[in-house]
């Protein structure tokens, strides 16, 4: 039968670390936290620039790939997901970004009480320890440290000034509910070290006697009985099968890909998909694995002249040594770099009611993560559609928990997404032609000057250069009872199974207008509050 716990949390990523922290606060509650990856005992999990080595490395990354995407002209993309305590917060861009107030008010207006901006802002403040100090928009003392970047690049200042020449205002804080403007991203770091969810929320409480972390635990499926999730089965690090029971609840926090895989292997999901994978359908639920949303970025690359970029510095062993010395002595310099430093938020066209494009600007260029930097000075200006209308899917292919899933984001499937992608490239060209950048003589390397300026040519180019910005969301979305594709209700309770909640990025009904890690942390903290409140209301009995 296995051991019995009050709560079993599946996945020690961004959400799971927070859930384990909160649910184990009461010494009487026993909590089991299961993570398929290992401990974060590798230097590149902690030095910020280590994302270059972690992404695409099976030690840190699940190494998923998408299907060949029609909207990307038949290309398949690498789809990084963190495989370590801290999850994707251990390998991601470290960008602290909440999205826009209208995102959350939109969730509320779908009938999801308690998810409006005024509801979630206090939770955002609670989870952070912000360098700006306590105030109306920020908090101190929370587990997620947020700081300003610790490296400066004059070429990025010039790009920010170019945005200003286009009428985009300067922004010193993208997290007040409005994120239009141009400025430097705030990052989840502390004195030049990556600050993952594991560092901020899990490691400080691992000494609690009532909290057990098991790594190398590949969750196979939920155990179900009488319309209730009763526990979890997994494969231990040595390959042996294990099982544990949950008196109160099982909480899935394995992300927009992992939580769906576990549900499908448990026989919960679209019946036709499950039968095709050789899995008995226990509960035919059409919404589990649908509604996949992601931010597709068009990575434009410009050669420049007369300014230093990381492309110039990195090939030199001497300069690399100086960067290492700067990091060792001052915790500053290029080794503290997030993948993107400068952000620009603007509208793709004047008819939009708010910013729907996010530019990530980097003082470097490369063909793709894991490959060498280009040997010429260049910057990358990557624009993504913040509110895509295309919807994809995630589904398992077999009952074997080691089998890779089908990930089909369905990028650029709608006319609106193609139109926005074309506008993004056009705006990138306009940005790079502004007077503050003239001294750099920028030359378009990708998509290339041969690509015309009409919508059809630019949409084709977006398919050629578009890539994920690693923000999968929405595959187990919140909704109201009666909505056939809603997977959880506004309190994150699974619709159709008792004793089960989902508290990760998969529950977003619509993706937020910005990077998704901080909103995932908020969902986990709010979810934990709901779990504890509901148990108190039931007199401590399992629900």
């Amino acid at each position: 039968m296995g051991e019995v716990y009050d709560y079993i949390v599946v996945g020690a990523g961004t959400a799971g670390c927070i859930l384990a922290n909160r649910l184990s606060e009461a010494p009487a509650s026993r909590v089991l936290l299961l993570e398929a990856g290992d401990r974060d005992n590798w230097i590149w999990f902690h030095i910020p620039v280590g994302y270059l080595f972690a992404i695409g490395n099976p030690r840190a990354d699940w190494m998923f790939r998408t299907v060949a995407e029609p909207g990307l002209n038949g290309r398949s993309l690498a789809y990084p997901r963190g495989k370590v305590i801290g999850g994707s917060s251990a390998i991601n861009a470290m960008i602290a970004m909440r999205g826009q107030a209208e995102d959350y008010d939109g969730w509320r207006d779908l009938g999801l009480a308690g998810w409006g901006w005024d509801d979630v802002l206090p939770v955002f403040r609670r989870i952070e320890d912000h360098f700006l100090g306590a105030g109306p928009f920020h908090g101190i003392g929370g587990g997620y440290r947020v700081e300003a970047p610790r490296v400066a690049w004059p070429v990025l200042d010039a790009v920010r000034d170019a945005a200003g020449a286009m009428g985009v205002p300067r922004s010193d804080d993208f997290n007040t509910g409005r994120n239009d403007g141009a400025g430097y991203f705030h990052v989840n770091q502390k004195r030049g070290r990556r600050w993952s969810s594991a560092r901020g929320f899990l490691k400080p409480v691992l000494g609690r006697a009532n909290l057990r972390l098991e790594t190398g635990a590949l969750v196979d499926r939920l155990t179900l009985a009488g319309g209730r999730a009763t526990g979890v089965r997994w494969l231990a690090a040595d390959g042996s099968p294990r099982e544990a029971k949950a008196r109160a609840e099982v909480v899935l926090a394995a992300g927009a890909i992992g939580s769906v895989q576990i549900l499908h292997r448990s026989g919960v999901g679209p019946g036709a998909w499950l039968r095709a994978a050789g899995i008995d359908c226990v509960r035919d639920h059409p919404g589990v694995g649908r509604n996949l949303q992601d931010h597709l970025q068009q990575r434009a690359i410009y050669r420049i002249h007369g300014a230093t970029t990381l492309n110039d510095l990195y090939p030199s062993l001497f300069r690399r040594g100086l960067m290492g010395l700067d990091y060792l002595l001052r915790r500053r310099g290029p080794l503290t770099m997030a993948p993107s430093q400068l952000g620009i938020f603007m509208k793709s066209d004047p008819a939009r009611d708010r910013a729907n494009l996010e530019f990530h600007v980097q003082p470097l260029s490369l063909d793709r993560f894991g490959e060498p930097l280009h040997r010429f000075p260049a910057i990358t200006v990557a624009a993504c559609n913040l509110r895509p209308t295309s919807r994809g899917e995630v589904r398992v292919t077999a009952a074997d928990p080691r089998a890779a899933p089908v990930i089909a984001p369905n990028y650029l499937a709608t006319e609106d997404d193609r139109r926005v992608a074309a506008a993004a490239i056009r705006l990138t060209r306009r940005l790079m032609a502004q007077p503050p950048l003239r001294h750099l003589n920028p030359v378009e390397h990708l998509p290339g000057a041969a690509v015309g300026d009409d919508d059809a040519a630019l949409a084709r180019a977006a398919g050629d250069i578009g890539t994920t910005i690693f923000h999968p969301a929405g595959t187990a979305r919140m909704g109201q009872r009666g909505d056939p594709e809603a997977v959880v209700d506004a309190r994150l309770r699974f619709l159709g199974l008792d004793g089960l909640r989902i508290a990760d990025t998969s529950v977003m009904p619509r993706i937020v207008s910005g990077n998704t890690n901080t909103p995932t942390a908020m969902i986990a903290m709010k979810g934990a509050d709901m779990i504890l409140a509901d148990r108190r209301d039931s007199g401590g009995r399992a629900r």
Side-chain angles (χ1 to χ4, degrees), residues 357-412:
L357 292 177
E358 177 181 9
F359 289 77
H360 290 79
V361 190
Q362 306 161 285
L364 57 86
S365 67
L366 70 172
D367 290 330
R368 59 188 60 87
F369 284 115
E371 296 194 4
L373 298 175
H374 291 145
R375 298 304 290 266
F376 50 81
I379 62 173
T380 300
V381 186
C384 71
N385 179 359
L386 291 172
R387 292 186 293 281
T389 54
S390 299
R391 296 292 184 268
E393 63 189 37
V394 175
R395 52 189 166 85
V396 297
T397 57
D400 185 347
R402 291 158 294 205
V406 169
I407 301 173
N410 205 25
Y411 295 122
L412 301 177

Side-chain angles (χ1 to χ4, degrees), residues 205-291:
V205 301
L206 277 178
R208 289 176 179 168
N210 62 328
L211 173 61
R212 174 187 164 204
L213 167 67
E214 180 156 340
T215 58
L218 180 59
V219 171
D220 180 10
R221 66 189 65 196
L222 307 173
T223 55
L224 307 172
R228 181 180 182 83
T230 58
V232 173
R233 292 176 183 165
W234 70 94
L235 299 178
D238 62 4
S240 62
R242 303 283 179 84
E243 182 176 342
K245 298 293 184 183
R247 274 188 292 260
E249 297 191 44
V250 176
V251 188
L252 291 180
I257 310 300
S259 289
V260 168
Q261 290 177 280
I262 293 164
L263 287 166
H264 284 181
R265 289 195 297 266
S266 305
V268 180
W273 290 3
L274 302 183
R275 288 187 287 271
I279 298 169
D280 291 335
C281 181
V282 176
R283 182 166 294 275
D284 190 342
H285 199 308
V288 178
R290 291 196 167 96
N291 194 48

Side-chain angles (χ1 to χ4, degrees), residues 114-138:
W115 290 96
W117 172 250
D118 290 341
D119 302 305
V120 301
L121 177 58
V123 187
F124 279 125
R125 293 177 67 248
R126 266 175 62 206
I127 63 177
E128 69 184 12
D129 183 25
H130 206 284
F131 78 102
L132 291 176
F137 297 109
H138 296 296

Side-chain angles (χ1 to χ4, degrees), residues 97-115:
M97 179 69 60
R98 297 171 178 173
Q100 298 167 355
E102 293 91 340
D103 298 330
Y104 302 99
D105 288 345
W107 294 5
R108 177 203 60 204
D109 294 345
L110 292 172
L112 301 172
W115 290 96

Side-chain angles (χ1 to χ4, degrees), residues 41-63:
N41 52 0
W42 185 36
I43 190 172
W44 293 119
F45 287 134
H46 307 294
I47 298 177
V49 81
Y51 71 90
L52 287 169
F53 308 102
I55 292 176
N57 186 324
R59 176 174 185 170
D61 183 355
W62 279 100
M63 305 292 289

Side-chain angles (χ1 to χ4, degrees), residues 122-181:
V123 187
F124 279 125
R125 293 177 67 248
R126 266 175 62 206
I127 63 177
E128 69 184 12
D129 183 25
H130 206 284
F131 78 102
L132 291 176
F137 297 109
H138 296 296
I140 58 174
Y144 245 156
R145 179 64 183 168
V146 180
E147 295 188 350
R150 296 169 69 89
V151 60
W153 296 91
V155 67
L156 298 185
D157 294 339
V159 176
R160 181 188 58 199
D161 294 343
M166 291 174 63
V168 178
R170 180 168 173 167
S171 176
D172 294 321
D173 186 357
F174 290 129
N175 286 310
T176 63
R178 293 184 59 88
N179 57 14
D180 50 317

Side-chain angles (χ1 to χ4, degrees), residues 12 16-18 20-21 33 85-86 197-207 211 213:
C17 290
I18 294 170
N21 178 307
L33 177 62
I85 61 168
S197 186
R199 288 185 64 85
F201 294 94
L202 179 60
K203 289 185 176 181
V205 301
L206 277 178
L211 173 61
L213 167 67

